[in-house]
Amino acid sequence: QQQVKQSPQSLIVQKGGISIINCAYENTAFDYFPWYQQFPGKGPALLIAIRPDVSEKKEGRFTISFNKSAKQFSLHIMDSQPGDSATYFCAASMENAGKSTFGDGTTLTVKP
Amino acid sequence: EAQVTQNPRYLITVTGKKLTVTCSQNMNHEYMSWYRQDPGLGLRQIYYSMNVEVTDKGDVPEGYKVSRKEKRNFPLILESPSPNQTSLYFCASSSRHGEQYFGPGTRLTVT
């Protein structure tokens, strides 16, 4: 049973547009929800993360929206740029626990 | 520079020949993990460690072993590799508070 479901699998957006990636989780004990960005040939790197005590977190062009009752969270990339073209992973874990569960990833392509 | 290092970066081996992939971090992190990445399947956690001599299974532990004898090192051992273990492997470390730092990856091919 997959505990974190991510959609869409791939996404094509025009430069300047908004990219939206969604994730849904099963385990209500999760209390840390990060998004990682991965470029080809590199390891994933943390982009932005949220804890369930807030409904939204914004860092520059990147925003996480969190809906605790629906067990869903999403990444919004405003004014998408070709340099944002990468694979994005959502994840969920419990603080002070070593286990993490990742979504299957979304390949984002931003067309110039 | 804070980093996670893995070696080797690329490895081609044959079925049944024992191998070890090393992982080291210089950030004094308590937590370390191993993941495998396969197309369409995201990152799946193999094993994790919350401290020296403390390890536990992730979602896909079959066919793998780990050890944590020192805080900075967390090697991944394949005692008898099989072709279905052909994958891209990542080591990661973190403090207790969440953000994981990933290594550059090890691409393993088992023929």
Side-chain angles (χ1 to χ4, degrees):
Chain A
Q1 182 183 16
Q2 188 174 14
Q3 292 202 61
V4 178
K5 293 185 179 180
Q6 182 172 345
S7 63
Q9 188 174 8
S10 62
L11 182 61
I12 300 174
V13 173
Q14 290 295 127
K15 179 181 175 182
I18 302 173
S19 304
I20 301 174
I21 306 171
N22 301 298
C23 280
Y25 64 96
E26 307 266 338
N27 188 345
T28 55
F30 288 145
D31 59 5
Y32 178 69
F33 302 90
W35 285 90
Y36 288 87
Q37 180 187 55
Q38 184 182 31
F39 293 105
K42 303 289 187 182
L46 181 71
L47 186 63
I48 187 172
I50 198 168
R51 299 189 190 277
D53 51 342
V54 296
S55 61
E56 186 175 282
K57 183 175 181 180
K58 184 175 182 179
E59 291 184 1
R61 296 185 293 109
F62 301 93
T63 300
I64 298 180
S65 296
F66 184 78
N67 186 328
K68 189 173 182 178
S69 60
K71 294 188 287 185
Q72 295 176 348
F73 58 110
S74 60
L75 175 69
H76 292 65
I77 306 174
M78 311 300 287
D79 187 26
S80 299
Q81 299 296 313
D84 296 332
S85 297
T87 300
Y88 293 81
F89 293 97
C90 63
S93 63
M94 289 173 275
E95 191 170 342
N96 295 325
K99 202 169 190 304
S100 286
T101 301
F102 281 72
D104 288 347
T106 297
T107 301
L108 171 65
T109 302
V110 181
K111 290 189 174 290
Chain B
E1 179 190 356
Q3 61 182 350
V4 177
T5 57
Q6 296 178 226
N7 283 292
R9 294 289 314 279
Y10 302 91
L11 180 59
I12 300 174
T13 190
V14 296
T15 299
K17 186 176 181 182
K18 181 179 178 180
L19 65 92
T20 299
V21 184
T22 64
C23 173
S24 184
Q25 52 96 1
N26 64 1
M27 295 168 278
N28 201 37
H29 284 161
E30 295 98 332
Y31 296 177
M32 297 186 76
S33 292
W34 276 102
Y35 295 88
R36 61 178 290 173
Q37 183 175 11
D38 301 289
L41 295 177
L43 289 152
R44 292 181 292 169
Q45 196 173 35
I46 302 170
Y47 269 95
Y48 62 94
S49 169
M50 295 172 67
N51 214 325
V52 174
E53 302 291 2
V54 180
T55 63
D56 208 347
K57 297 177 181 179
D59 294 320
V60 288
E62 295 78 18
Y64 305 94
K65 284 177 57 177
V66 293
S67 68
R68 186 97 181 271
K69 292 183 170 52
E70 304 167 283
K71 195 172 187 179
R72 64 182 291 125
N73 296 322
F74 190 45
L76 179 69
I77 303 157
L78 284 72
E79 296 267 4
S80 183
S82 63
N84 65 10
Q85 293 178 298
T86 292
S87 187
L88 179 59
Y89 291 87
F90 288 101
C91 180
S93 72
S94 67
S95 65
R96 292 172 180 264
H97 302 293
E99 178 182 357
Q100 293 191 72
Y101 292 80
F102 285 82
T106 295
R107 187 166 292 281
L108 172 65
T109 302
V110 183
T111 62

